[in-house]
């Protein structure tokens, strides 16, 4: 098993990302010990906001949200999934599975012994984070979901239709056939406005060459597109937990993301804690809303935190 680790020099002088790198070890039965990177800012005594990124990004995406949360006196914890950012990167696509991502993040939460967590999840951070919540609901106090999904391949109103839809099908097919992806350009092209060169370079920083992108290329193909795929039944089990979730569950979806917008209604209808929550629409943002409107997303999270405290 080949495990890659991006040289530290690739992460020097990133814009608005002067956070101290921190690491924990997670153990995988087949891959052995893997090093997972995370940002951990703010007072350790404060309730943590666990920020989980999606494809094809890393904790850099949360930098403006981190600043807003910490500036208000709370704790911000933003890990890089294995295969992304400064975390170790198994070099084969077959090293990645939906179950492994959930296991790795569960280990991370347990190792840091996080309690009273507000989960902030976007894109693939949603299925992974909500699966962790279903395993250990006692550790979580609230959820803020932005531009995310939890597909159990069920018909409306328990899912969305059509599923997966042409946009997601095309993305999965593209990644399956590709040997490389221009990560910075992909993030830039998914927004309302194009990103500057320095920010695009920061998204490319974890990947010196295509050999480091096995996780990026594998991730989209792990989403359950039909009920026979791994993850579909597991997600339905997560939904059974969420259908008993009475703690705050806030939807903070953007106004310009066609790939996930219909999922907000599913969360609001199926989860008891979402029915009277402080939902909001993040304006002038595409799929990666934390990149384009980090301050607005931080404000949505702070409304939840300030209501709880």
């Amino acid at each position: 098993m080949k495990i890659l680790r991006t040289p530290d020099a690739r992460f020097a002088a990133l814009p608005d990302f002067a956070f101290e790198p921190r690491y924990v070890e997670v153990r995988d039965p087949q891959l052995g010990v893997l090093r997972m990177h995370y940002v951990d800012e703010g007072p350790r005594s404060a309730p943590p906001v666990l920020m989980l990124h999606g494809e094809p990004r890393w904790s850099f995406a949360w930098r403006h949200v981190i600043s807003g949360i910490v500036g208000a006196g709370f704790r911000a914890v933003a890990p890089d999934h294995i295969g992304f950012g400064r975390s170790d990167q198994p070099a084969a696509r077959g090293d990645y599975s939906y179950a492994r991502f959930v296991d790795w993040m569960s280990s991370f939460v347990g190792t840091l012994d996080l309690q009273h967590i507000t989960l902030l999840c976007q894109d693939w951070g949603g299925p992974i984070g909500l699966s962790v919540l279903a395993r250990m609901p006692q550790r979580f106090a609230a959820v803020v979901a932005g531009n995310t999904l939890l597909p159990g391949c069920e018909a409306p109103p328990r899912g969305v239709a059509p599923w997966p839809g042409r946009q997601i099908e095309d993305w999965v097919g593209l990644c399956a056939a590709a040997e490389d992806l221009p990560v910075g350009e992909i993030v830039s092209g998914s927004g309302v406005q194009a990103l500057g060169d320095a920010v695009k370079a920061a998204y490319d920083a974890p990947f010196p060459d295509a050999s480091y992108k096995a996780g990026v290329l594998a991730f989209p193909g792990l989403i359950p597109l039909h009920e026979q795929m791994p993850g579909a039944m597991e997600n339905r089990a997560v939904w059974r937990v969420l259908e008993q979730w009475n703690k705050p569950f806030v939807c903070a979806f953007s106004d310009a993301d066609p790939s996930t917008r219909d999922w907000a209604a599913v969360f609001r209808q199926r989860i008891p804690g979402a029915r009277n929550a402080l939902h909001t629409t993040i304006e002038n943002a595409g799929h990666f809303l934390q990149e384009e409107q980090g301050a607005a997303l931080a404000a949505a999270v702070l409304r939840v935190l300030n209501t709880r405290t």
Side-chain angles (χ1 to χ4, degrees), residues 4-8 10-11 14 17 21-23 35-39 53-61 78-90 96 101 183 202-208 212-213 215-216 219:
L4 302 175
R5 183 173 293 176
T6 303
D8 288 342
R10 297 274 302 180
F11 301 100
L14 299 180
F17 197 73
R22 303 177 189 273
Y23 300 94
R35 191 179 77 165
M36 180 179 284
H37 167 261
Y38 66 106
V39 173
H53 71 82
E55 160 83 358
R57 287 151 310 113
W58 60 291
S59 54
F60 174 80
D80 294 336
H81 296 299
I82 296 296
F84 295 79
R86 299 182 80 141
S87 292
D88 282 351
Q89 300 166 331
Y96 298 89
F101 277 110
V183 171
Y203 281 111
D204 287 326
F207 314 110
Y212 288 75
K213 297 180 183 178
V216 169
F219 221 169

Side-chain angles (χ1 to χ4, degrees), residues 4-234:
L4 302 175
R5 183 173 293 176
T6 303
D8 288 342
R10 297 274 302 180
F11 301 100
L14 299 180
D16 303 316
F17 197 73
F19 305 121
E20 179 183 352
R22 303 177 189 273
Y23 300 94
V24 298
E25 291 183 342
V26 297
R27 296 185 179 274
D28 183 276
Q30 285 75 45
L31 300 175
V33 176
L34 299 170
R35 191 179 77 165
M36 180 179 284
H37 167 261
Y38 66 106
V39 173
D40 193 345
E41 298 288 325
R44 300 299 180 269
S45 60
V49 179
L50 177 62
M51 306 177 186
L52 299 188
H53 71 82
E55 160 83 358
R57 287 151 310 113
W58 60 291
S59 54
F60 174 80
W62 298 111
R63 64 199 183 281
H64 299 308
V65 183
I66 292 169
S67 297
I69 297 301
V70 173
F74 294 98
R75 180 182 178 188
V77 179
D80 294 336
H81 296 299
I82 296 296
F84 295 79
R86 299 182 80 141
S87 292
D88 282 351
Q89 300 166 331
R93 295 193 203 193
D95 293 336
Y96 298 89
S97 71
Y98 185 18
R100 273 184 166 163
F101 277 110
V102 176
D103 288 344
W104 293 328
M105 192 54 63
S106 297
S107 179
F108 173 83
V109 170
T111 299
L112 267 63
D113 193 25
L114 298 178
Q115 305 283 349
H116 310 295
I117 301 166
T118 294
L119 173 64
L120 174 58
C121 53
Q122 188 265 339
D123 190 79
W124 257 108
I128 294 169
L130 294 171
S131 295
V132 175
L133 180 153
R135 288 186 179 184
M136 46 185 82
Q138 73 282 357
R139 291 184 179 271
F140 290 81
V143 177
V144 179
N147 292 0
T148 191
L149 67 171
L150 185 63
C153 303
E154 299 175 276
R158 302 178 66 80
V160 301
W163 176 255
R166 178 59 60 85
Q167 189 173 32
I168 290 177
E169 282 185 331
D170 289 348
W171 174 239
V172 171
L174 172 67
C175 292
E179 296 298 328
D180 195 2
L181 287 175
V183 171
E185 291 294 341
I186 289 169
V187 176
S188 180
S190 298
V192 173
Q193 295 183 343
L195 301 179
D197 289 343
V199 174
K200 289 190 289 186
Y203 281 111
D204 287 326
F207 314 110
D209 57 54
S211 67
Y212 288 75
K213 297 180 183 178
V216 169
L217 293 167
F219 221 169
L222 304 180
I223 194 169
L225 303 181
H226 53 78
E227 62 182 0
Q228 288 76 35
M229 282 186 65
M233 294 301 105
E234 290 82 354

